[in-house]
Structures are given as C-alpha cells and as structure tokens.
Amino acid sequence: MTRLNAACFAAVLFFMPAFQGAAETASSGTEEASLRETINYGTDNEITELIKKLRSDNIDYLDGDLIKLAEKTKNQNIILGIFSFFGERSVKGLEDTALAIVSDRDSETTQKVIAALDYLGTVKEKRAFPALTEIISSGDARYDSAAVKALGKIVDSEMSSADTDGITEILIDYYNNVTSGGNNREAVIAAVGSSGGDAAAAFILQIINDDEQSVTLRMAALEAAGKLKDSDVLDSIIAAASSADPNVRYAAVGALGSFDNNYASAVILESFRDSYFRTRLAAVRSAKTRRLEAAVPYLRYRAERDESAVVKEEAVLALGAIGGKDADTALAALMDDTKNGDALRSLCAEMLIKNDANAYAEKIIAKLDEASVKKQTALYKGLLKALSFARTRKVENFTARLFASKDVTEKFYALDMTANNGFTAFKDNVEALSKEKNLSLSSRAKRTLEKLGG
C-alpha cells in the first residue's frame, strides 16, 4: 500500500463513525419526510395505511399535518379516517372542520356528518349545542340519534341551570313525541341523566319504577340516575338492587357508586355476594368509585377466588384506586401468590408501583430477575411494564440495565423511566436512541429529551 493510499484509508476509518451517525440521522429524517409526503400527496388508501402506522407506533407529532389536511380535503374516506384517529384518542384540533360539516350537512354525505357529530361529542365541543338542539328539535331522522348521543357527552355540571333545564326539556319532548323504541330512547335517557335539571329526576324515576317498561330502558334509567346524583332517586335505586331481574340489579348497584351514603354502602357490600357476575362486577366498580375502604376484604376475596376473570381484574384495579395500608397489603399478597395468573400478579405490581413506588420498586425488581432466570416470559414482561410507571430513584440502576439491553421493548421502558424520573444521567443514551432507524423509538427518545430539557 502506498503512503498516499494508507493516508486515505486512515482518513476513512477516522471519519467513518461520523458518516454512520449522519446516515442514521438521515434515515430517520427520511422516514419522517416520507410520512409527510404521504399526507400531502397520498391517496385515501395511502392515508389509511399511514394512519394505521401512526396508531400502531403511537406517533402523534404529525397531528398538525393531519388537521391541515382535514381542513382542505373533500375526500370522504380521508376525513372519516382522520376523525376516527383523533376521536379514539380524544384529541382536539378538528372542531372547526366538524362544525363546518354539521352546519352544511345538507350538502355533505351522511357518513361525514355522523362522524363529525360523534367527534364533537367525544371532545365535548360546547359550540355544537345550537346545531345539536336544532337537529333533535326538528326530528331529523338522519342525524337525530347521533346528535342525542353527542349532546349527552357534552352537557356537564358546569353549565347554568337555565341551559340544562332547556336541554332536558328538549330531550324529554323528543323522547315522548319522536322516538319509537330501540337504542335511540336509551341514548335520550342517558342524555337526560347528563343534562339534569328540575324535570330530569321525575322523568328518570317514572321509568325506573314502571315494571311494565323493558329491562333495557330501566337499566338505562338507572345508569342515568347515577349521573344525576339526586337523593330523590336513591330509594328507587336501592329497591331496584333487589330486583328479581339480574340485569336490573346490575344497573342499580352500578348507579350506587355515585352516592356517598351509608345505606348505599351497605347495599354495595351485600352485592359482592350476588350469584350474577355482572352484579358483583358492578359492586366492585362502585366500591372503586367510592374509594370504599370497607370493601377491601371483599375485593381481595374476589381477586383471589371469583369465577370471572373480569371481576378478578376489576377487583385489583379497585384495590389500587382505594390505596392505603390495607389495600396495598392485599395487593402485595396477591402479587406474591404464585397460584394467581401472571397477568393478575403483574396488574397487582402496577397498582403497587403507582401507589407507593418507593416501598415496592426493589421488591418488584427482584421478582423481575427471578422471572428472567426461570424464563417466565409473560410474568417478566408484565412486571417490567408495571415498573415502567415508577417514580422513584430506586429504579435508576435498573434503568441503566435496560438501556444496555439489545431488546427494543426494554429500551422503550428505559425511556419511560428516564422521562418519569428526570434521569439526566442517561441523556447521552437518550440522544443515541433519538437517532435510531426505528421511527417509533427515535420519536419516543426525542420526546424524552424534551422532558429532560433539550
């Protein structure tokens, strides 16, 4: 090799890391640019595939580009896809587009108008009230059902009594004079429960107490009664909790979660014994809503022994929501018991980490290591996810281990722990991941850098 060739070879070796780093950055940037090009110029099928990718990779930094696209495109499939993507995440930004579509509904397709109404309800856009009440009052059969459902999502306790009384009056009139059965009547009852007002309790009670009404409508009325939180309806709810119909019992016990009352508490606790699993499920959820400490031993029993997997899971979530020494002790015992399934034990760990990470982080790390040695993959993954919610310095060393891992999923969790705890010691690790070819990983790393201060 000549002296000149040797010098050139040395220069290539010297600059190679820089070239590789630039190439990786360019690759990441190229993918992002490609996604934006699809938004700017893609067909509806290409936009659909792009949204699938954004959804699966949990990417949100292109939301602004999609909002601009929604404002200018007339393509129905694109509009529907964007409304769906934003609505499922309850992300705002499309309100003006949706309001324009509803306002000009006679010139728009039915699908677009219904999608716009659903989105306005999901993001609780109060500017939609005039259009919604107009549709309901006119009995426009194309859109009245969607308008009722949207109205029920938007009305809330922050509104003036004059406004809620007016909305309730429109809904009751619609129920009595326009609807003719089916889901639409249930939606009206739900909306009345949300709007409240002087006439709401009487309307709801009439349905609850009418044994001739269908079970479906009585259930809807009981759920609405829970939203009202009106003491005038409590006696009827408690009476319904002893109904011969299991579905009525289920709905009644679910409604009791809204009432902070000793009598209601006693009925909730008694309902843990109901042979119908949905009634037990309602008791669990009401205890969770009420943060009912007296329910802790019932919840532990249900989490250990209930025949329904969903009741077991909800019982763990309820223990986590109640918190405190007794609830956390119950969760720790459930997590330690190897007779319980991996998913349930992992959920217990998650509740403990969220309630008191300082007290339980090291114990869960030890269980993670044990699961790794025993090749208990499902348990390991579940405990790792649980630990990623920790906010404590006690996971710092474990975070370093995750950054050193070759597993992409573990790197994601390392980023979560770094962001949650402000671990600036890992800033270099985060910067390295921000240049990864994996767009989802690099995006998460960039967001983590922002949380660390740049």
Side-chain angles (χ1 to χ4, degrees), residues 29 47 55 69 83 134 140 160 170 202 241 259 274 299 310 317-318 332 335 363 370 446:
I47 296 294
R55 183 182 287 119
L69 175 60
F83 273 140
E134 179 188 345
D140 189 334
S160 68
I170 290 171
F259 296 87
D274 199 294
L299 292 167
V310 68
L317 292 172
M335 180 182 68
K363 180 176 183 179
E370 181 182 342
K446 289 173 184 175

Side-chain angles (χ1 to χ4, degrees), residues 324-340:
K325 181 180 178 181
D326 290 343
D328 285 351
T329 298
L331 287 167
L334 289 164
M335 180 182 68
D336 289 340
D337 191 344
T338 57
K339 293 192 298 295
N340 293 321

Side-chain angles (χ1 to χ4, degrees), residues 223-265:
E223 184 177 347
K227 295 179 184 178
L228 286 177
K229 301 179 183 180
D230 189 324
S231 58
D232 291 342
V233 303
L234 181 57
D235 287 344
S236 292
I237 296 174
I238 289 174
S242 299
S243 170
D245 189 290
N247 288 303
V248 172
R249 295 201 305 273
Y250 157 70
V253 175
L256 289 175
S258 300
F259 296 87
D260 188 3
N261 173 284
N262 288 337
Y263 196 8
S265 298

